[in-house]
Amino acid sequence: MKHIEELFSYIDTEHTNGHNSGENIRTTMQKITEHIHIRNFNIDERVKIASKILDVLTIEERKELATQLLEEQVVEQREKLNHWSVITAQSSQIDTGYIAQHLVSLQTQIAGQGMRGKGDDLCDGSEVKSANFLDSLDKKGATAPRWNFTAVTRQIMERFLEYPAVYLLSMDLNTEGNFRTRIWKVDVTKHTILRERYIEWMKVLGYPKFASEKEESVNFQLFPPHIRTEENFARHGNGRKNGFTKLEIPLENCEGSELIFRADEVNGKIIISKF
């Protein structure tokens, strides 16, 4: 623990010195991360280190780092993958799942769990879901990204109703055809429309599948707002006789959900308009 406390002191000192000297936070954080050999720490220590760093960062510094994250990991990465797509005809789509978690942590100041795979996305038990429209055309030229809530047990399925928060991130193109990313924070305990639809879905599909004892998983799917529009609602249901009625689930201007982040690409640069 002494080593961690010394590391916390180092983080405070470097952050203060950088701030007082007018140093860009990108440079300051580069110094700090190069000093910390993260692979030498266990999962709990990694979460403590990240929580410390997120706690000392100001909102303007977090916005600057969020800008850097999107420029490096999305804008520049897409350009690099496009180069290889021309050569190989393979997809140039990037995996935005983990980028989404980094971005949500920067916005909320809530650290992750320091690991991949199973476990909570954020250390407070919240869930992060991402949907990526970018470079994801199928053979018919359509895109159908979605937010998937997969459950392999009844308990996991029911937990959806109790998450501290669900963060829904969408990466798509705005009305001008430029890259855009938005994050909505959803409180399912207060979002009546989403909560009632999920309970209906559990009764019709979820519980019967788990009762069959065939070890089947279930998946509640929400479709994000359409690409190249200013829609601010998710969608569920296809209107078919064997499915659910079509439902628009508001993500803004309603109790239980709010837009907490928006960034758009302008001339190759990320401009954050909501943080």
Side-chain angles (χ1 to χ4, degrees), residues 60 66 119 128 137 173 176 183 199 218:
E60 289 302 321
V128 178
L137 294 178
L173 302 179
E176 297 180 353
I183 303 173
I199 291 173
V218 296

Side-chain angles (χ1 to χ4, degrees), residues 135-165:
D135 312 306
S136 59
L137 294 178
D138 61 20
K139 288 186 177 181
K140 296 182 180 180
T143 60
R146 64 210 69 180
W147 292 307
N148 292 311
F149 294 87
T150 304
V152 295
T153 68
R154 181 178 306 198
Q155 291 73 24
I156 294 175
M157 177 182 72
E158 293 172 342
R159 189 183 177 197
F160 176 86
L161 300 173
E162 302 174 353
Y163 282 127

